[in-house]
Amino acid sequence: MDFESEFLKTYRILKWDEFTVLNNDRMSINEKITNKVITKHELLLQFKAELSLLNACKNKIKEELEKGLDVIDTQVLVLISKRVIDLFDHMHVLFSIDEQLLFYYINFCQDNVSYIHVDQLDILLDAVLCTENNQKIWIRLLRLYMELNSFDKLMNVFQEGVRSLKNNSLPLWKMMSRFMQNRRPDMIETLFEEGSNISYENISFYIRAKYLKWCLEYKDIDATRNLFNELKQLKPPCYKLYLINIAIETETTDLELSTVRKLYDEACTLFGRDNIGIWLDYIRFEQTDGSPKLIESIYTRGLWKLEPNLRNFFIDEYDNIKREFMKDLGKEVIVIDD
């Protein structure tokens, strides 16, 4: 008697005649697969039968552990999980796999990750590659591989997902950056470098900004400045990168006005044609931390640089800033009675 039948008999999961039927079904399925006369429906029925048996075994083990009793070799879960995987592999090779079944199977793998070896799932990646670039499936697949013990396989899934999803792969980049910061900090900078140079702007802009923040947190201000000077050379230029670096420089204890002004000047040149916000931020900076005498020249430059349809709004916002400034200034006036 093998350990599976012993387990099922000992814990009364299946009656003997039920186990006999199950074994006969298994042999019939294997024979039909060999002779290439199996149907997808038959494979699905056996797939569900093995899953049901697996869940029954897991529940029984849980019950026994809660009682504080010893449980015989739980390799039975490894064995049944492998049967489920083999059935899925046959379905993929012989028939098409729909997305609903893929979701179901990935969930099975996640629920039973302790009983699965990563090398058993190569067919799963191939099955996902045959779908219509479903972002949710790739997210679930990547999450599964994060729980398996193979960084190389994880990176392969990530790279395949990026190739498949293209500019829709941003969620995968976010997942990998969090994973590497927590689990593989030695590799996070490599990921940031790759992402900063990718051709999809929504991804490269996000990664460049995250890279700069990471550098400030884990290195120092000099390294952060050097990194900014490297990242700003990448095309197309990233507006958020400038905003973050301006914030970093204005928050340093040894604030250098010339450094911040240079950043604002560059940002206004690069983004100031259709971006009112950068001009207003520059004006507010000079008003609070710099020299109010320079505000008028910044305002004039903004009027010339901005698209004509934005100028009236810019004028209104500038007037609002002046009114706010005068109002705040009035609050600071101290009146001395005679």
Side-chain angles (χ1 to χ4, degrees):
M1 183 182 295
D2 61 31
F3 66 83
E4 180 187 26
S5 58
E6 181 183 352
F7 183 94
L8 298 178
K9 179 182 178 182
T10 301
Y11 293 98
R12 299 178 182 178
I13 293 171
L14 288 181
K15 296 177 182 178
W16 187 252
D17 59 332
E18 292 174 328
F19 183 66
T20 301
V21 170
L22 177 64
N23 265 340
N24 289 338
D25 288 343
R26 286 170 174 171
M27 288 187 288
S28 175
I29 290 290
N30 289 336
E31 184 177 348
K32 288 183 177 182
I33 290 172
T34 301
N35 295 327
K36 298 181 180 180
V37 293
I38 192 75
T39 67
K40 186 176 182 179
H41 179 69
E42 289 172 317
L43 282 172
L44 275 172
L45 287 178
Q46 192 63 32
F47 180 82
K48 292 176 180 178
E50 299 292 353
L51 274 177
S52 178
L53 180 61
L54 176 66
N55 290 330
C57 292
K58 287 170 66 178
N59 289 334
K60 177 54 68 173
I61 289 173
K62 182 180 178 182
E63 288 175 11
E64 296 299 308
L65 290 175
E66 288 174 350
K67 294 176 185 176
L69 302 175
D70 291 332
V71 180
I72 63 172
D73 193 351
T74 56
Q75 279 295 108
V76 66
L77 303 181
V78 176
L79 176 64
I80 301 174
S81 294
K82 185 179 184 305
R83 288 205 181 99
V84 174
I85 292 170
D86 289 343
L87 288 166
F88 176 86
D89 290 353
H90 286 305
M91 278 191 281
H92 171 64
V93 171
L94 298 172
F95 308 99
S96 61
I97 299 292
D98 59 56
E99 292 183 354
Q100 184 178 2
L101 180 57
L102 263 179
F103 275 118
Y104 190 78
Y105 181 64
I106 293 172
N107 286 339
F108 149 76
C109 292
Q110 277 197 293
D111 291 342
N112 298 281
V113 71
S114 299
Y115 318 118
I116 293 172
H117 191 277
V118 66
D119 290 337
Q120 295 174 308
L121 301 182
D122 290 343
I123 293 292
L124 172 57
L125 176 57
D126 188 62
V128 173
L129 285 168
C130 292
T131 64
E132 293 295 325
N133 300 328
N134 187 311
Q135 186 188 74
K136 291 182 179 179
I137 288 180
W138 279 106
I139 289 172
R140 291 201 185 188
L141 184 67
L142 190 64
R143 189 175 292 127
L144 166 63
Y145 272 80
M146 286 177 174
E147 297 180 29
L148 297 166
N149 191 26
S150 175
F151 184 71
D152 290 341
K153 296 274 188 180
L154 171 63
M155 285 303 299
N156 184 48
V157 168
F158 169 65
Q159 289 164 356
E160 291 290 355
V162 171
R163 274 192 286 269
S164 295
L165 295 176
K166 299 179 174 59
N167 63 317
N168 290 321
S169 65
L170 181 58
L172 305 188
W173 287 93
K174 291 181 177 181
M175 291 171 65
M176 284 301 292
S177 65
R178 288 193 296 268
F179 175 86
M180 287 191 177
Q181 282 186 275
N182 293 327
R183 304 271 290 276
R184 290 298 303 268
D186 58 311
M187 294 295 295
I188 185 64
E189 193 160 11
T190 301
L191 181 77
F192 285 152
E193 289 171 356
E194 183 180 341
S196 295
N197 286 276
I198 201 167
S199 59
Y200 311 117
E201 290 181 20
N202 64 319
I203 296 171
S204 63
F205 287 179
Y206 172 83
I207 295 296
R208 289 177 207 172
K210 195 168 185 65
Y211 191 4
L212 196 67
K213 290 179 181 178
W214 172 86
C215 188
L216 181 66
E217 182 177 357
Y218 291 97
K219 295 188 179 182
D220 55 37
I221 187 63
D222 290 332
T224 303
R225 286 167 176 158
N226 290 334
L227 177 61
F228 172 76
N229 287 330
E230 292 176 14
L231 294 176
K232 76 176 186 178
Q233 302 300 323
L234 301 177
K235 305 299 181 186
C238 176
Y239 176 57
K240 190 174 182 180
L241 185 72
Y242 273 87
L243 291 185
I244 291 172
N245 202 49
I246 287 170
I248 290 171
E249 292 293 351
T250 53
E251 291 169 8
T252 56
T253 54
D254 54 341
L255 171 63
E256 289 285 345
L257 292 176
S258 60
T259 299
V260 178
R261 284 181 181 132
K262 181 182 178 184
L263 289 170
Y264 270 119
D265 285 336
E266 289 179 8
C268 287
T269 299
L270 291 169
F271 313 106
R273 190 167 184 80
D274 58 1
N275 189 321
I276 293 174
I278 191 62
W279 294 104
L280 298 176
D281 287 347
Y282 196 178
I283 289 169
R284 290 190 184 97
F285 166 74
E286 292 295 355
Q287 186 171 278
T288 56
D289 297 306
S291 172
K293 294 178 181 179
L294 299 176
I295 289 176
E296 193 65 31
S297 65
I298 297 169
Y299 170 67
T300 303
R301 285 166 53 200
L303 281 177
W304 280 102
K305 181 77 172 179
L306 283 165
E307 296 282 0
N309 63 309
L310 298 176
R311 289 172 186 166
N312 286 338
F313 184 68
F314 179 56
I315 292 170
D316 291 340
E317 289 299 304
Y318 176 66
D319 289 340
N320 288 336
I321 289 175
K322 286 198 298 183
R323 280 193 293 271
E324 289 173 10
F325 177 69
M326 295 306 296
K327 184 178 179 181
D328 292 340
L329 191 63
K331 292 178 181 178
E332 297 176 5
V333 174
I334 300 175
V335 178
I336 302 176
D337 294 331
D338 292 335

PDB file of all heavy atoms in Angstrom, residues 149-162:
ATOM      1  N   ASN A 149      10.791  29.941  -4.519  1.00  0.00           N
ATOM      2  CA  ASN A 149      12.187  30.175  -4.136  1.00  0.00           C
ATOM      3  C   ASN A 149      13.125  30.118  -5.338  1.00  0.00           C
ATOM      4  O   ASN A 149      13.989  29.250  -5.429  1.00  0.00           O
ATOM      5  CB  ASN A 149      12.613  29.140  -3.083  1.00  0.00           C
ATOM      6  CG  ASN A 149      13.946  29.487  -2.459  1.00  0.00           C
ATOM      7  OD1 ASN A 149      14.334  30.650  -2.411  1.00  0.00           O
ATOM      8  ND2 ASN A 149      14.661  28.477  -1.990  1.00  0.00           N
ATOM      9  N   SER A 150      12.927  31.058  -6.274  1.00  0.00           N
ATOM     10  CA  SER A 150      13.825  31.111  -7.431  1.00  0.00           C
ATOM     11  C   SER A 150      13.824  32.521  -8.005  1.00  0.00           C
ATOM     12  O   SER A 150      12.896  32.909  -8.717  1.00  0.00           O
ATOM     13  CB  SER A 150      13.403  30.108  -8.502  1.00  0.00           C
ATOM     14  OG  SER A 150      14.217  30.260  -9.661  1.00  0.00           O
ATOM     15  N   PHE A 151      14.858  33.277  -7.693  1.00  0.00           N
ATOM     16  CA  PHE A 151      14.937  34.653  -8.177  1.00  0.00           C
ATOM     17  C   PHE A 151      15.091  34.692  -9.694  1.00  0.00           C
ATOM     18  O   PHE A 151      14.520  35.562 -10.364  1.00  0.00           O
ATOM     19  CB  PHE A 151      16.113  35.372  -7.511  1.00  0.00           C
ATOM     20  CG  PHE A 151      16.208  36.823  -7.881  1.00  0.00           C
ATOM     21  CD1 PHE A 151      15.285  37.743  -7.411  1.00  0.00           C
ATOM     22  CD2 PHE A 151      17.222  37.270  -8.721  1.00  0.00           C
ATOM     23  CE1 PHE A 151      15.366  39.084  -7.759  1.00  0.00           C
ATOM     24  CE2 PHE A 151      17.314  38.605  -9.075  1.00  0.00           C
ATOM     25  CZ  PHE A 151      16.383  39.518  -8.585  1.00  0.00           C
ATOM     26  N   ASP A 152      15.843  33.752 -10.249  1.00  0.00           N
ATOM     27  CA  ASP A 152      16.037  33.714 -11.707  1.00  0.00           C
ATOM     28  C   ASP A 152      14.710  33.495 -12.429  1.00  0.00           C
ATOM     29  O   ASP A 152      14.424  34.143 -13.443  1.00  0.00           O
ATOM     30  CB  ASP A 152      17.031  32.613 -12.088  1.00  0.00           C
ATOM     31  CG  ASP A 152      18.453  32.952 -11.664  1.00  0.00           C
ATOM     32  OD1 ASP A 152      18.725  34.143 -11.410  1.00  0.00           O
ATOM     33  OD2 ASP A 152      19.281  32.030 -11.581  1.00  0.00           O
ATOM     34  N   LYS A 153      13.905  32.573 -11.917  1.00  0.00           N
ATOM     35  CA  LYS A 153      12.595  32.317 -12.532  1.00  0.00           C
ATOM     36  C   LYS A 153      11.690  33.537 -12.385  1.00  0.00           C
ATOM     37  O   LYS A 153      10.934  33.882 -13.304  1.00  0.00           O
ATOM     38  CB  LYS A 153      11.936  31.105 -11.872  1.00  0.00           C
ATOM     39  CG  LYS A 153      12.683  29.799 -12.057  1.00  0.00           C
ATOM     40  CD  LYS A 153      12.293  29.117 -13.349  1.00  0.00           C
ATOM     41  CE  LYS A 153      12.892  27.717 -13.421  1.00  0.00           C
ATOM     42  NZ  LYS A 153      12.529  27.026 -14.671  1.00  0.00           N
ATOM     43  N   LEU A 154      11.755  34.172 -11.232  1.00  0.00           N
ATOM     44  CA  LEU A 154      10.957  35.377 -11.005  1.00  0.00           C
ATOM     45  C   LEU A 154      11.325  36.461 -12.005  1.00  0.00           C
ATOM     46  O   LEU A 154      10.445  37.095 -12.605  1.00  0.00           O
ATOM     47  CB  LEU A 154      11.180  35.882  -9.572  1.00  0.00           C
ATOM     48  CG  LEU A 154      10.590  37.256  -9.234  1.00  0.00           C
ATOM     49  CD1 LEU A 154       9.071  37.253  -9.352  1.00  0.00           C
ATOM     50  CD2 LEU A 154      11.017  37.693  -7.830  1.00  0.00           C
ATOM     51  N   MET A 155      12.612  36.682 -12.206  1.00  0.00           N
ATOM     52  CA  MET A 155      13.053  37.706 -13.151  1.00  0.00           C
ATOM     53  C   MET A 155      12.620  37.364 -14.571  1.00  0.00           C
ATOM     54  O   MET A 155      12.262  38.254 -15.353  1.00  0.00           O
ATOM     55  CB  MET A 155      14.572  37.860 -13.086  1.00  0.00           C
ATOM     56  CG  MET A 155      15.070  38.598 -11.855  1.00  0.00           C
ATOM     57  SD  MET A 155      14.355  40.255 -11.683  1.00  0.00           S
ATOM     58  CE  MET A 155      14.931  41.047 -13.181  1.00  0.00           C
ATOM     59  N   ASN A 156      12.633  36.085 -14.898  1.00  0.00           N
ATOM     60  CA  ASN A 156      12.202  35.673 -16.237  1.00  0.00           C
ATOM     61  C   ASN A 156      10.718  35.981 -16.450  1.00  0.00           C
ATOM     62  O   ASN A 156      10.323  36.497 -17.503  1.00  0.00           O
ATOM     63  CB  ASN A 156      12.459  34.178 -16.424  1.00  0.00           C
ATOM     64  CG  ASN A 156      12.122  33.709 -17.824  1.00  0.00           C
ATOM     65  OD1 ASN A 156      12.520  34.321 -18.817  1.00  0.00           O
ATOM     66  ND2 ASN A 156      11.368  32.627 -17.926  1.00  0.00           N
ATOM     67  N   VAL A 157       9.900  35.685 -15.437  1.00  0.00           N
ATOM     68  CA  VAL A 157       8.467  35.988 -15.526  1.00  0.00           C
ATOM     69  C   VAL A 157       8.255  37.492 -15.643  1.00  0.00           C
ATOM     70  O   VAL A 157       7.444  37.961 -16.455  1.00  0.00           O
ATOM     71  CB  VAL A 157       7.723  35.425 -14.298  1.00  0.00           C
ATOM     72  CG1 VAL A 157       6.299  35.971 -14.223  1.00  0.00           C
ATOM     73  CG2 VAL A 157       7.690  33.900 -14.358  1.00  0.00           C
ATOM     74  N   PHE A 158       8.979  38.258 -14.847  1.00  0.00           N
ATOM     75  CA  PHE A 158       8.861  39.720 -14.897  1.00  0.00           C
ATOM     76  C   PHE A 158       9.216  40.250 -16.285  1.00  0.00           C
ATOM     77  O   PHE A 158       8.478  41.055 -16.871  1.00  0.00           O
ATOM     78  CB  PHE A 158       9.774  40.336 -13.838  1.00  0.00           C
ATOM     79  CG  PHE A 158       9.948  41.824 -13.970  1.00  0.00           C
ATOM     80  CD1 PHE A 158       8.878  42.689 -13.791  1.00  0.00           C
ATOM     81  CD2 PHE A 158      11.196  42.360 -14.284  1.00  0.00           C
ATOM     82  CE1 PHE A 158       9.037  44.063 -13.922  1.00  0.00           C
ATOM     83  CE2 PHE A 158      11.364  43.728 -14.415  1.00  0.00           C
ATOM     84  CZ  PHE A 158      10.281  44.584 -14.237  1.00  0.00           C
ATOM     85  N   GLN A 159      10.329  39.796 -16.828  1.00  0.00           N
ATOM     86  CA  GLN A 159      10.766  40.282 -18.142  1.00  0.00           C
ATOM     87  C   GLN A 159       9.802  39.870 -19.250  1.00  0.00           C
ATOM     88  O   GLN A 159       9.516  40.658 -20.160  1.00  0.00           O
ATOM     89  CB  GLN A 159      12.183  39.771 -18.425  1.00  0.00           C
ATOM     90  CG  GLN A 159      13.231  40.446 -17.550  1.00  0.00           C
ATOM     91  CD  GLN A 159      14.562  39.712 -17.517  1.00  0.00           C
ATOM     92  OE1 GLN A 159      14.708  38.626 -18.097  1.00  0.00           O
ATOM     93  NE2 GLN A 159      15.542  40.277 -16.836  1.00  0.00           N
ATOM     94  N   GLU A 160       9.276  38.658 -19.162  1.00  0.00           N
ATOM     95  CA  GLU A 160       8.290  38.223 -20.153  1.00  0.00           C
ATOM     96  C   GLU A 160       7.009  39.049 -20.027  1.00  0.00           C
ATOM     97  O   GLU A 160       6.376  39.400 -21.029  1.00  0.00           O
ATOM     98  CB  GLU A 160       7.972  36.732 -19.977  1.00  0.00           C
ATOM     99  CG  GLU A 160       9.112  35.793 -20.342  1.00  0.00           C
ATOM    100  CD  GLU A 160       9.378  35.750 -21.840  1.00  0.00           C
ATOM    101  OE1 GLU A 160       8.623  36.370 -22.618  1.00  0.00           O
ATOM    102  OE2 GLU A 160      10.362  35.100 -22.241  1.00  0.00           O
ATOM    103  N   GLY A 161       6.637  39.355 -18.793  1.00  0.00           N
ATOM    104  CA  GLY A 161       5.450  40.172 -18.573  1.00  0.00           C
ATOM    105  C   GLY A 161       5.608  41.571 -19.141  1.00  0.00           C
ATOM    106  O   GLY A 161       4.681  42.118 -19.752  1.00  0.00           O
ATOM    107  N   VAL A 162       6.788  42.153 -18.966  1.00  0.00           N
ATOM    108  CA  VAL A 162       7.053  43.493 -19.510  1.00  0.00           C
ATOM    109  C   VAL A 162       7.021  43.459 -21.031  1.00  0.00           C
ATOM    110  O   VAL A 162       6.451  44.348 -21.677  1.00  0.00           O
ATOM    111  CB  VAL A 162       8.412  44.022 -18.999  1.00  0.00           C
ATOM    112  CG1 VAL A 162       8.798  45.309 -19.729  1.00  0.00           C
ATOM    113  CG2 VAL A 162       8.350  44.266 -17.493  1.00  0.00           C
TER     114      VAL A 162
END
